Amino acid sequence: HSRDFAAAPKENIMCAATKGGLSLADVDVTKEAVIQGRVLRGGNPVAGAYVRLLDSGGEFTAEVPTSATGHFRFFAVDGKWTLRTLVPGASLDRTVVAARGSVAEIDVDVEAV
């Protein structure tokens, strides 16, 4: 299942509130595998982009729009996932691993596409 919220960098995997990211105050990260982050273009947040969550077989699982600050959030089961970010003129896939008890933070900069 999914709930929509924001995004952050894949390289940062954290178990507490995120720096500049979405608040985890209402999320019990010991019971949830959270994937969240931001969509950026040239370092600036992209509002209204779409981020899709694809399972390990490439099948569509969920989609959320980014917030006004470019953020998104998914709640997923443990495993390897693909984030497909769609903005006008660009599409970018990034692999992320979700694990209950942790928060996978990933920033997706579509400027690099």
Side-chain angles (χ1 to χ4, degrees), residues 46-66:
V46 179
Y50 287 89
V51 181
R52 291 182 180 164
L53 188 64
L54 308 177
D55 68 15
S56 60
E59 294 295 316
F60 174 87
T61 302
E63 179 178 83
V64 295
T66 57

Side-chain angles (χ1 to χ4, degrees), residues 2-7 22-24 26-27 34-38 51 64-67 69-75:
S2 71
R3 302 176 198 164
D4 66 299
F5 295 102
L22 294 177
S23 170
L24 294 168
D26 296 331
V27 177
V34 179
I35 300 169
Q36 67 180 30
R38 260 184 330 170
V51 181
V64 295
T66 57
S67 69
T69 58
H71 286 96
F72 65 89
R73 178 181 286 158
F74 292 102
F75 293 85

Side-chain angles (χ1 to χ4, degrees), residues 33-35 53-56 76-82 95-100 102 104:
V34 179
I35 300 169
L53 188 64
L54 308 177
D55 68 15
S56 60
V77 297
D78 292 359
K80 185 176 174 181
W81 296 88
T82 297
T95 301
V96 63
V97 176
R100 185 175 34 216
S102 70

Side-chain angles (χ1 to χ4, degrees), residues 76-111:
V77 297
D78 292 359
K80 185 176 174 181
W81 296 88
T82 297
L83 292 177
R84 177 165 293 157
T85 303
L86 306 167
V87 298
S91 173
L92 180 64
D93 287 0
R94 296 281 300 272
T95 301
V96 63
V97 176
R100 185 175 34 216
S102 70
V103 177
E105 288 272 349
I106 182 167
D107 280 343
V108 179
D109 195 332
V110 296
E111 185 81 2

